[in-house]
Structure formats: C-alpha cells, structure tokens
Amino acid sequence: MSDRTWLDAAKGDIPQWAASMPKDADGTTIDWDWVRSLDLAHGVGTIPESTPQSIHDALKADYATRERLESIIAQCNSAFMTDFDRFIGSYRLPRALAYANRRLNDNINTLLHLGEQQHLWAVSRERRGRATIAVLKPYSGSGPSNDDQGMLNLSGETGDASAGNTAAENSDVKFPTTVALDDIQDRTAAILDARAERRKAQRFQKRAGDAAMARANLSGATSPGGAALPGGAAASGNATGHHPKPDWRDAYLPGRDVDAVMGIDIETTGIDPARDYIIDVGFEFMNMASPRPAGEPETYAYEQGYYAAGDAYGQSRLAFGVPPENAALGNALIAKLTGIDVRGRSSEAGYRLFDEWPQAQAGLLARLTQQPYVAHNATFEHSWFMLNVAGYAESYRAGRITIIDTLPMSRQWDPGAVPTNEHPYGDNTLDAYAKRQGALDSAHNERHLGLEDSHIMLVAMKHHLAALKAQGKGPWGSTGRAGVGGKSCGRKR
C-alpha cells in the first residue's frame, strides 16, 4: 500500500499558490477553497449507481471536475517558473492535482465504457484540433467503436478483447437509450483551441509592442547594446543547405564542450502527463568526447540483438504499472506501438506505479542532476518529469538540471532533414535521425521502448557531433556555443 499522506500535505501549499496564481490557464478566477475540499488521496471522481441517468450525471460531473483541475494544472508551470521572488517553494501541489486527475480520467473512461455496455451511446475517438477526444453518438445497435480500449463487464472484471461480445450483450441487464448526449460531450479540444488562440493574440500584441519600441530607437539599426532589432535577419548557423529559421528549441542544442551525458526515453499510456501514466523508463550513459570509463561492463544485451553497446555504459530499464481501473480498460494503441499490454501491468499484479513510488522518483532525479540528460523532443520528457518526479521542478528552476535535445540537432544541423511536402520542417523523428546518422539500420525501425530508443539516440548524437566537429559546423560553427550548452534555468553556462 503506497503512502498517500503527501497528497493531503500538498494542500498546505495552497496559500503560496493562491497568492501568486489567482487565475487558471483560461483566465478564470481559481476557487482555492474548492481545491482544498478535494479528496486527492482517495479520488475526485463520481461512482454512480448502474442506471442510465446516474451514469450520465456522473460523467457530466467528472467532466466538469476535470476541466477545472486541468485549467489549474496548465497554469502552474508558468506561475512557478516566473515566481522570481520565490513565494512558491514547492511544486508538490501541481503533482498532487495531476495524481488525482489521472485517476479521475480513468473514472471517466470507465463511465464511457459502461455507457457503451448499457447501450446508452457509442464512443468514437476522433482527432479535433489539438486533441483526440471521445465523441458520444446515439447507440445504433453496433458494438463499441473504440478499438483503443479493452472489454469491461459490469462487475469491472477484464473480459476477452477478442471475443467480439460486450458484457452488455452477455448480460441480462438491458437499458434503452434515454439520456441526453449534448451535455456530456468532451470539451477538451475546444478548450485547448481557445487557449491557443488567446496565446496567439498575446504573442501578436507583444510583437507589435516590440516593433513599436524598435521604431522609436534613435539608432535606426540596433537596440541599445548593439543587439539586432526584432524581426531583423539572423544567422541560423546550421550545417545544411536549407537554412531553417531559428526556433525556440535551439536553446536545447549542445555546446562544443559537451561530454558525459545521460540519454533517457519514457513510454507512457498516452501523451498527457496530467491524464496518463509512465510505464517504461530506459536510460544509459555515454561520453561524447572522453573515453568510456574504465571498469564498466563491456557488453550489454538489448532487446534487439543487432544493437551493440559500444561506448554506452550504466544501462537501466525500469517497468511501472497502472491502476486496476486503467488496466481493466486496456490500451490497444500502446500495446501495438510498444508491445506493452497494460492489462498485465495492474498494480494488483504487483507492478508499482511510478507516481506512487517515491524511491524510484528520487533515484531518477539523482541521475538527472548528475550530468546533462538528453532526449529526442525533450520537452515531452520534461513535462512528464514536472508532474511525476518529486523535486524535479524545484531542481530545474534552481539550475541543477541541464537538458539537451537531439530533435533540434536533426532540424538545424542534419543535411538530410530537408523540407518536403510530407515533412515541411524535414523528417526529424528519432527513427529518421538515427538512420541518417548510422545508429539504426535502414532495415529496422525505432523500437518504442525506453532503453533501446535511448541507445540509438546517443549513438546518433555521438556520430553527428563527430562529423560536425570535423566540418567545423554545428557547435563548432560561427554561432555555436562554448561549454556544455543545453537548456537550464537560474544560472549562466
């Protein structure tokens, strides 16, 4: 049984958050008394009676709770990172809210499935704008249309996903479709789209203000200190012929003195760290310049027999579980992508949940702070660590964590990442980058397991850096940086 006392203790941080963050990500004033009233440790979802209206009402209530919680969580990163006076001492409360929201999301998916079983609606998972949402449609006599889920009978036990029959079809319990659907549709996509439009308007307003300030600059060419005016030409310093524009991800590029790093990759049950679970973590170490440390084991057996450890050392593979409610629903998409079937990863089967395992979090944090860590599209890992690893947000804000990303290395410095109609910014997937850099054979594909993906990423990075150094490009070009490089906060590199 995990210790959940920290979830209640996190409410003690509410006064500091309330003083610094009065509104959520949608501009709504936060009711912090409501937050204080939530039972984060034992669940914020609604468990209904098994009747049509009860299921409808429970789903409606859970959607409303999730919308309020996620709007608060979405604002926490900005409030924490811009709290320059350090009124907010800990990121514990956002982690607690995300912990509760994951279980709430499981409850929502269970209710959706129960509604399908009782023929109240059919569920289809559809991409709408920035999100994939559950769309409820009137039941038409066909089986459930959501092939990303397993089968769940009315007692909550896992059924045979290949049997072709829902529990409702095998049950004597039959309900007519008597509930309204309009007020229980998932609003996630609309919320995210509206939020993005507000951010776009704010950026436009800021750029307009910067341009007005630049026009008022009497030098007519540069701002004070000699910096180029906003919107002026900038050298990209890339090694390719297509000269991609500078991008915010360029802050994650390595410097010319980078050496010992830890590569890391995580596999999850979805893409949202406030809704989904970490189920696989793989990491290993590699030196980009200095020799491999003496005394480390010479070989390591990866899942792929054609992988050679080479200069890598300190490999580790960690497996984590999901709550029983999540396991019961299954996840066919993740099973197909990674080979991990969450139906066998229930905490009841002995798997520990990462967000309930403080020792695993502490061990990972210790490694993340020892040297720069490298990931491909590192903002993904970073967002998950913020809401899952105790102490990570605080360490990052204090400048004790440096992040390097091989995605902008591919985008800015890889001649093979040329724009095409299919890939307007070039093909910068890990699979494509690793193949171009000789880290993955063209006959094989990215494995989508943490350790194996970490390995091909580090091998590709080392090959790429060696080629760039020989050419005097990338970090060794005119716009390259001295030192380790990468992205960190609170200190100068």
Side-chain angles (χ1 to χ4, degrees), residues 229-368:
L229 290 176
S236 66
N238 73 87
T240 75
H242 61 279
H243 301 290
K245 295 180 180 179
D247 185 89
W248 61 268
R249 297 177 185 85
D250 294 352
Y252 294 86
L253 289 167
R256 64 179 66 101
D257 301 316
V258 66
D259 188 16
V261 297
M262 183 182 84
I264 190 166
D265 183 77
I266 63 174
E267 302 301 332
T268 61
T269 59
I271 62 172
D272 191 337
R275 293 187 182 183
D276 302 307
Y277 299 90
I278 295 175
I279 52 176
D280 182 76
V281 177
F283 59 83
E284 69 178 22
F285 301 84
M286 188 178 290
N287 296 352
M288 297 291 113
S290 63
R292 185 177 184 275
E296 293 288 342
E298 292 295 326
T299 60
Y300 183 86
Y302 297 91
E303 183 184 275
Q304 277 67 26
Y306 50 87
Y307 281 9
D311 295 331
Y313 58 96
Q315 297 91 340
S316 186
R317 186 196 308 274
L318 307 172
F320 302 100
V322 297
E325 296 78 9
N326 188 283
L329 290 169
N331 195 320
L333 178 64
I334 296 302
K336 181 179 180 180
L337 182 67
T338 68
I340 299 173
D341 188 343
V342 298
R343 292 176 298 179
R345 285 284 185 97
S346 170
S347 56
E348 293 181 339
Y351 281 86
R352 296 286 297 273
L353 276 66
F354 184 75
D355 65 358
E356 292 185 351
W357 197 345
Q359 294 83 0
Q361 296 170 36
L364 181 58
L365 179 62
R367 288 167 173 81
L368 293 171

Side-chain angles (χ1 to χ4, degrees), residues 22-44:
K23 294 187 177 181
D24 64 21
D26 299 315
T28 302
T29 299
I30 299 172
D31 183 352
W32 287 105
D33 287 335
W34 173 78
V35 176
R36 191 176 285 107
S37 72
L38 297 173
D39 189 350
L40 303 178
H42 300 97
V44 296

Side-chain angles (χ1 to χ4, degrees), residues 91-149:
Y91 211 68
R92 179 173 58 173
L93 181 62
R95 287 193 299 106
L97 298 181
Y99 175 97
N101 195 68
R102 291 182 199 107
R103 279 75 185 168
L104 172 63
N105 196 60
D106 291 343
N107 200 64
I108 287 172
N109 286 326
T110 299
L111 292 172
L112 290 172
H113 202 89
L114 287 174
E116 280 192 304
Q117 289 180 314
Q118 298 192 10
H119 297 174
L120 306 182
W121 51 65
V123 180
S124 62
R125 304 277 172 170
E126 300 178 11
R127 186 72 183 180
R128 300 281 180 88
R130 290 167 171 79
T132 298
I133 63 172
V135 179
L136 303 189
K137 300 176 181 179
Y139 177 73
S140 62
S142 61
S145 57
N146 175 21
D147 59 5
D148 284 347
Q149 302 294 332

